[in-house]
Amino acid sequence: MAHVFAFWESRSFYDSFMARSHDRLAASQSGTYTDARVTLFDHRFDVKTGFEPRFTDADVVRVAHTRVREGRVDHFALMQEKVWNPAMAGSPGMVRGLFGEAPGREFLVLSMWRKAAEHGKYRQERVERLSLRAQIQADVEALTGDVVDLDPAWTV
């Protein structure tokens, strides 16, 4: 499995790429992958510091994709900002991240970590306690995610 993250300076640049270049690029990659899923998330706020799409100072990205229950979006976003973000920001090894939103009550949390072991310490020590505090069971309808080892050869 591969995860591809693309960051656009503006919606107009994204729209221009889709109108002018996407089909030609997609045709050139035909047969090289199966089951692609693409979702466009709008940046809602940063995790820790101002987000930069720079991956040279991180070895691991944790991506969490969430569908939130109807009527719970505001609470979910507030808990991300007031509970999860400070916990991640205070964890040694956490570099930066972002919180994004897509239509249909979908959210993405992308956090960058210097080392997998540092992310592992955060998970072991805090996730259960933070989940209870943030009332994650009441907010979340579905949650998928992955820890992605970054390959510098794939970074452009």
Side-chain angles (χ1 to χ4, degrees):
M1 174 186 292
H3 296 275
V4 177
F5 306 105
F7 301 91
W8 297 92
E9 187 175 318
S10 69
R11 180 62 188 247
S12 62
F13 284 134
Y14 169 80
D15 290 340
S16 176
F17 168 79
M18 293 304 286
R20 295 187 175 131
S21 303
H22 176 267
D23 291 347
R24 181 176 29 84
L25 180 61
S28 72
Q29 296 175 341
S30 179
T32 63
Y33 59 89
T34 59
D35 301 326
R37 179 168 186 256
V38 178
T39 305
L40 184 63
F41 291 88
D42 289 322
H43 178 269
R44 189 147 169 189
F45 51 80
D46 294 333
V47 177
K48 190 171 185 172
T49 62
F51 182 78
E52 298 174 41
R54 181 173 40 87
F55 292 84
T56 55
D57 56 350
D59 287 342
V60 165
V61 170
R62 166 66 172 138
V63 59
H65 179 225
T66 308
R67 180 175 306 279
V68 175
R69 295 182 197 285
E70 186 116 20
R72 298 294 296 187
V73 167
D74 291 340
H75 183 265
F76 177 76
L78 180 66
M79 292 299 99
Q80 180 64 43
E81 188 174 13
K82 302 295 185 189
V83 175
W84 293 102
N85 285 8
M88 283 191 284
S91 295
M94 198 281 186
V95 179
R96 67 186 154 278
L98 64 85
F99 180 71
E101 183 175 7
R105 303 182 328 271
E106 282 188 67
F107 293 88
L108 181 79
V109 179
L110 185 141
S111 57
M112 300 170 73
W113 299 80
R114 269 193 287 281
K115 301 283 181 207
E118 292 170 324
H119 176 259
K121 289 177 192 174
Y122 164 77
R123 283 191 45 84
Q124 291 170 350
E125 296 170 1
R126 298 185 175 174
V127 170
E128 187 175 320
R129 178 178 51 84
L130 293 170
S131 294
L132 290 171
R133 185 171 167 215
Q135 302 172 16
I136 199 90
Q137 293 293 338
D139 288 347
V140 173
E141 187 174 292
L143 172 65
T144 58
D146 209 353
V147 177
V148 180
D149 293 321
L150 296 175
D151 183 344
W154 282 62
T155 302
V156 291

